[in-house]
PDB file of all heavy atoms in Angstrom:
ATOM      1  N   ASN A   8     -74.715 -52.287  13.587  1.00 97.00           N
ATOM      2  CA  ASN A   8     -76.021 -52.891  13.346  1.00 97.00           C
ATOM      3  C   ASN A   8     -76.652 -53.208  14.695  1.00 97.00           C
ATOM      4  O   ASN A   8     -76.148 -52.744  15.729  1.00 97.00           O
ATOM      5  CB  ASN A   8     -75.922 -54.125  12.436  1.00 97.00           C
ATOM      6  CG  ASN A   8     -75.112 -55.251  13.045  1.00 97.00           C
ATOM      7  OD1 ASN A   8     -75.070 -55.444  14.254  1.00 97.00           O
ATOM      8  ND2 ASN A   8     -74.453 -56.035  12.202  1.00 97.00           N
ATOM      9  N   ARG A  10     -76.562 -55.793  16.465  1.00 95.00           N
ATOM     10  CA  ARG A  10     -75.762 -56.664  17.319  1.00 95.00           C
ATOM     11  C   ARG A  10     -74.417 -56.086  17.725  1.00 95.00           C
ATOM     12  O   ARG A  10     -73.957 -56.290  18.851  1.00 95.00           O
ATOM     13  CB  ARG A  10     -75.541 -57.993  16.603  1.00 95.00           C
ATOM     14  CG  ARG A  10     -74.738 -58.990  17.438  1.00 95.00           C
ATOM     15  CD  ARG A  10     -74.617 -60.341  16.776  1.00 95.00           C
ATOM     16  NE  ARG A  10     -75.941 -60.883  16.552  1.00 95.00           N
ATOM     17  CZ  ARG A  10     -76.289 -61.624  15.514  1.00 95.00           C
ATOM     18  NH1 ARG A  10     -75.402 -61.929  14.605  1.00 95.00           N
ATOM     19  NH2 ARG A  10     -77.514 -62.078  15.384  1.00 95.00           N
ATOM     20  N   ILE A  14     -66.200 -51.190  14.469  1.00 98.00           N
ATOM     21  CA  ILE A  14     -65.165 -50.418  15.162  1.00 98.00           C
ATOM     22  C   ILE A  14     -65.852 -49.534  16.193  1.00 98.00           C
ATOM     23  O   ILE A  14     -66.871 -48.913  15.897  1.00 98.00           O
ATOM     24  CB  ILE A  14     -64.390 -49.510  14.189  1.00 98.00           C
ATOM     25  CG1 ILE A  14     -63.766 -50.320  13.039  1.00 98.00           C
ATOM     26  CG2 ILE A  14     -63.333 -48.690  14.919  1.00 98.00           C
ATOM     27  CD1 ILE A  14     -63.282 -49.461  11.877  1.00 98.00           C
ATOM     28  N   GLY A  19     -58.774 -42.304  22.094  1.00 98.00           N
ATOM     29  CA  GLY A  19     -57.531 -42.668  21.434  1.00 98.00           C
ATOM     30  C   GLY A  19     -57.346 -44.139  21.138  1.00 98.00           C
ATOM     31  O   GLY A  19     -56.295 -44.544  20.630  1.00 98.00           O
ATOM     32  N   THR A  32     -56.838 -73.993   5.322  1.00 98.00           N
ATOM     33  CA  THR A  32     -55.773 -74.161   6.319  1.00 98.00           C
ATOM     34  C   THR A  32     -55.774 -72.998   7.311  1.00 98.00           C
ATOM     35  O   THR A  32     -56.335 -71.936   7.044  1.00 98.00           O
ATOM     36  CB  THR A  32     -54.390 -74.203   5.637  1.00 98.00           C
ATOM     37  OG1 THR A  32     -54.109 -72.911   5.080  1.00 98.00           O
ATOM     38  CG2 THR A  32     -54.336 -75.282   4.553  1.00 98.00           C
ATOM     39  N   ILE A  33     -55.096 -73.199   8.411  1.00 98.00           N
ATOM     40  CA  ILE A  33     -54.959 -72.124   9.391  1.00 98.00           C
ATOM     41  C   ILE A  33     -54.216 -70.943   8.776  1.00 98.00           C
ATOM     42  O   ILE A  33     -54.550 -69.789   9.042  1.00 98.00           O
ATOM     43  CB  ILE A  33     -54.268 -72.609  10.699  1.00 98.00           C
ATOM     44  CG1 ILE A  33     -54.271 -71.504  11.772  1.00 98.00           C
ATOM     45  CG2 ILE A  33     -52.850 -73.077  10.432  1.00 98.00           C
ATOM     46  CD1 ILE A  33     -55.621 -71.054  12.242  1.00 98.00           C
ATOM     47  N   ASP A  35     -54.248 -69.987   5.569  1.00 98.00           N
ATOM     48  CA  ASP A  35     -55.185 -69.285   4.681  1.00 98.00           C
ATOM     49  C   ASP A  35     -56.152 -68.425   5.478  1.00 98.00           C
ATOM     50  O   ASP A  35     -56.385 -67.263   5.148  1.00 98.00           O
ATOM     51  CB  ASP A  35     -55.986 -70.273   3.828  1.00 98.00           C
ATOM     52  CG  ASP A  35     -55.153 -71.004   2.802  1.00 98.00           C
ATOM     53  OD1 ASP A  35     -54.044 -70.519   2.459  1.00 98.00           O
ATOM     54  OD2 ASP A  35     -55.600 -72.079   2.339  1.00 98.00           O
ATOM     55  N   ASP A  45     -56.400 -55.320   8.665  1.00 98.00           N
ATOM     56  CA  ASP A  45     -55.746 -54.183   8.009  1.00 98.00           C
ATOM     57  C   ASP A  45     -56.775 -53.171   7.512  1.00 98.00           C
ATOM     58  O   ASP A  45     -56.600 -51.958   7.690  1.00 98.00           O
ATOM     59  CB  ASP A  45     -54.893 -54.650   6.830  1.00 98.00           C
ATOM     60  CG  ASP A  45     -53.535 -55.169   7.233  1.00 98.00           C
ATOM     61  OD1 ASP A  45     -52.991 -54.723   8.270  1.00 98.00           O
ATOM     62  OD2 ASP A  45     -52.986 -56.005   6.495  1.00 98.00           O
ATOM     63  N   GLU A  56     -48.656 -50.737  13.245  1.00 98.00           N
ATOM     64  CA  GLU A  56     -47.680 -50.201  14.207  1.00 98.00           C
ATOM     65  C   GLU A  56     -48.328 -49.633  15.460  1.00 98.00           C
ATOM     66  O   GLU A  56     -47.640 -49.384  16.448  1.00 98.00           O
ATOM     67  CB  GLU A  56     -46.825 -49.111  13.540  1.00 98.00           C
ATOM     68  CG  GLU A  56     -45.902 -49.613  12.457  1.00 98.00           C
ATOM     69  CD  GLU A  56     -46.581 -49.826  11.098  1.00 98.00           C
ATOM     70  OE1 GLU A  56     -47.777 -49.479  10.929  1.00 98.00           O
ATOM     71  OE2 GLU A  56     -45.923 -50.356  10.197  1.00 98.00           O
ATOM     72  N   THR A  62     -56.133 -60.353  20.856  1.00 98.00           N
ATOM     73  CA  THR A  62     -56.682 -61.554  21.497  1.00 98.00           C
ATOM     74  C   THR A  62     -57.008 -62.520  20.371  1.00 98.00           C
ATOM     75  O   THR A  62     -57.760 -62.168  19.447  1.00 98.00           O
ATOM     76  CB  THR A  62     -57.948 -61.225  22.309  1.00 98.00           C
ATOM     77  OG1 THR A  62     -57.633 -60.204  23.261  1.00 98.00           O
ATOM     78  CG2 THR A  62     -58.471 -62.453  23.023  1.00 98.00           C
ATOM     79  N   PHE A  71     -51.496 -73.611  16.458  1.00 98.00           N
ATOM     80  CA  PHE A  71     -50.720 -72.499  17.007  1.00 98.00           C
ATOM     81  C   PHE A  71     -49.511 -72.145  16.139  1.00 98.00           C
ATOM     82  O   PHE A  71     -49.272 -70.980  15.827  1.00 98.00           O
ATOM     83  CB  PHE A  71     -50.291 -72.837  18.437  1.00 98.00           C
ATOM     84  CG  PHE A  71     -49.637 -71.711  19.176  1.00 98.00           C
ATOM     85  CD1 PHE A  71     -50.355 -70.599  19.577  1.00 98.00           C
ATOM     86  CD2 PHE A  71     -48.287 -71.773  19.503  1.00 98.00           C
ATOM     87  CE1 PHE A  71     -49.753 -69.560  20.292  1.00 98.00           C
ATOM     88  CE2 PHE A  71     -47.680 -70.744  20.218  1.00 98.00           C
ATOM     89  CZ  PHE A  71     -48.416 -69.645  20.593  1.00 98.00           C
ATOM     90  N   LEU A  74     -50.586 -70.552  12.790  1.00 98.00           N
ATOM     91  CA  LEU A  74     -51.006 -69.174  13.050  1.00 98.00           C
ATOM     92  C   LEU A  74     -49.780 -68.282  13.171  1.00 98.00           C
ATOM     93  O   LEU A  74     -49.706 -67.217  12.551  1.00 98.00           O
ATOM     94  CB  LEU A  74     -51.827 -69.101  14.339  1.00 98.00           C
ATOM     95  CG  LEU A  74     -51.905 -67.719  14.997  1.00 98.00           C
ATOM     96  CD1 LEU A  74     -52.941 -66.864  14.303  1.00 98.00           C
ATOM     97  CD2 LEU A  74     -52.167 -67.825  16.470  1.00 98.00           C
ATOM     98  N   ASN A  79     -46.264 -63.767  12.589  1.00 98.00           N
ATOM     99  CA  ASN A  79     -44.907 -63.221  12.721  1.00 98.00           C
ATOM    100  C   ASN A  79     -44.471 -62.447  11.482  1.00 98.00           C
ATOM    101  O   ASN A  79     -43.747 -61.465  11.591  1.00 98.00           O
ATOM    102  CB  ASN A  79     -43.912 -64.339  13.029  1.00 98.00           C
ATOM    103  CG  ASN A  79     -44.128 -64.946  14.402  1.00 98.00           C
ATOM    104  OD1 ASN A  79     -44.831 -64.398  15.243  1.00 98.00           O
ATOM    105  ND2 ASN A  79     -43.550 -66.121  14.618  1.00 98.00           N
ATOM    106  N   ALA A  98     -67.741 -69.649  16.159  1.00 96.00           N
ATOM    107  CA  ALA A  98     -69.145 -69.514  15.754  1.00 96.00           C
ATOM    108  C   ALA A  98     -69.596 -70.545  14.715  1.00 96.00           C
ATOM    109  O   ALA A  98     -70.773 -70.899  14.687  1.00 96.00           O
ATOM    110  CB  ALA A  98     -69.402 -68.102  15.224  1.00 96.00           C
ATOM    111  N   ARG A  99     -68.684 -70.979  13.859  1.00 97.00           N
ATOM    112  CA  ARG A  99     -69.017 -71.978  12.843  1.00 97.00           C
ATOM    113  C   ARG A  99     -67.947 -73.061  12.850  1.00 97.00           C
ATOM    114  O   ARG A  99     -66.760 -72.770  13.068  1.00 97.00           O
ATOM    115  CB  ARG A  99     -69.094 -71.329  11.456  1.00 97.00           C
ATOM    116  CG  ARG A  99     -70.168 -70.260  11.336  1.00 97.00           C
ATOM    117  CD  ARG A  99     -70.376 -69.764   9.895  1.00 97.00           C
ATOM    118  NE  ARG A  99     -69.181 -69.552   9.112  1.00 97.00           N
ATOM    119  CZ  ARG A  99     -68.554 -68.379   8.967  1.00 97.00           C
ATOM    120  NH1 ARG A  99     -69.003 -67.292   9.581  1.00 97.00           N
ATOM    121  NH2 ARG A  99     -67.484 -68.278   8.213  1.00 97.00           N
ATOM    122  N   VAL A 104     -59.787 -69.723  13.343  1.00 98.00           N
ATOM    123  CA  VAL A 104     -59.169 -68.626  14.082  1.00 98.00           C
ATOM    124  C   VAL A 104     -60.082 -67.398  14.084  1.00 98.00           C
ATOM    125  O   VAL A 104     -60.795 -67.144  13.121  1.00 98.00           O
ATOM    126  CB  VAL A 104     -57.781 -68.264  13.485  1.00 98.00           C
ATOM    127  CG1 VAL A 104     -57.887 -67.811  12.045  1.00 98.00           C
ATOM    128  CG2 VAL A 104     -57.045 -67.253  14.335  1.00 98.00           C
TER     129      VAL A 104
END
Side-chain angles (χ1 to χ4, degrees):
N8 63 31
R10 181 175 301 145
I14 304 166
T32 68
I33 186 63
D35 292 340
D45 279 331
E56 293 81 6
T62 304
F71 187 70
L74 159 80
N79 293 346
R99 298 188 318 265
V104 61

